Amino acid sequence: MSQSSNGGGDGPALPPSLKAFASSPTGFILGLILTPLLNGVEGVVEKVLWAINYVFFGHSRSSTVGDLGLVDVPVVIATTLIDAGSAIGEPVLSVIGSGVQLLIDFFNWTGPAGLLGAAIVFAIVVVAYSTYLRTAIEIALDFIPGGGAFIN
C-alpha cells in the first residue's frame, strides 16, 4: 500500500499552536485576542488600586514619613495640637508652679496661722468660682428661650 500525497499516515508532526488552532479555531483566536486585552485590563486595575491606596495611605501605611494620605490627616492634626498645647502649657505651668511655690513658702514662714489663712483663702476662692460659674451658666441659659427655668 502506498501513502497518498495529502498527508495520510505518519507525516511530519504539527506544532502545538497549530494543533490548538486546528482543534478549535474560534477558541484559539479569542485566546489570542483576549489574553493581551485581559493582561492590559489587569494592569489598569492594578494602577487604579495603587492610586486609591496612595490617596488614602500616602507613602506608607505604618508611619507619616514621606507623602501623606487622607488617613494621616487626624494624626498630623493631633500632633500639631499637642505641640501647640505644650508650647502654651509649659510657660503657664511654670508660672502657676512658681506661684504655688511662693504660697508654700509664705505659709511655711507664717507657721500654724498660715494654715488657717490658707483655709480661708481656699474657701473664698471656691465660693468666688462657684458664684462665677453659676452666673456664667445663667447667662448661657438665658440665650435659650425659656432656659432660665432650668436652673431655678
Side-chain angles (χ1 to χ4, degrees):
M1 224 174 181
S2 70
Q3 292 183 349
S4 65
S5 63
N6 60 4
D10 289 339
L14 295 175
S17 58
L18 194 54
K19 285 183 183 179
F21 178 73
S23 66
S24 173
T26 306
F28 181 81
I29 291 172
L30 286 177
L32 190 65
I33 293 171
L34 290 179
T35 300
L37 287 177
L38 290 177
N39 286 341
V41 168
E42 179 184 353
V44 169
V45 168
E46 182 180 327
K47 296 284 186 191
V48 168
L49 291 177
W50 177 86
I52 291 171
N53 188 34
Y54 187 74
V55 166
F56 281 103
F57 296 107
H59 184 262
S60 173
R61 286 185 177 211
S62 60
S63 70
T64 56
V65 176
D67 296 333
L68 301 179
L70 293 176
V71 176
D72 297 321
V73 170
V75 174
V76 171
I77 290 174
T79 304
T80 305
L81 290 176
I82 289 171
D83 291 344
S86 53
I88 294 169
E90 286 178 11
V92 170
L93 287 177
S94 67
V95 168
I96 290 174
S98 62
V100 168
Q101 187 60 44
L102 284 173
L103 285 175
I104 290 172
D105 292 341
F106 174 74
F107 292 128
N108 283 338
W109 176 70
T110 58
L115 293 176
L116 179 62
I120 293 171
V121 168
F122 181 73
I124 291 172
V125 168
V126 167
V127 168
Y129 277 138
S130 63
T131 303
Y132 291 137
L133 183 63
R134 181 177 174 87
T135 304
I137 290 172
E138 286 177 355
I139 291 171
L141 287 176
D142 282 341
F143 285 111
I144 301 171
F150 288 136
I151 202 156
N152 292 326

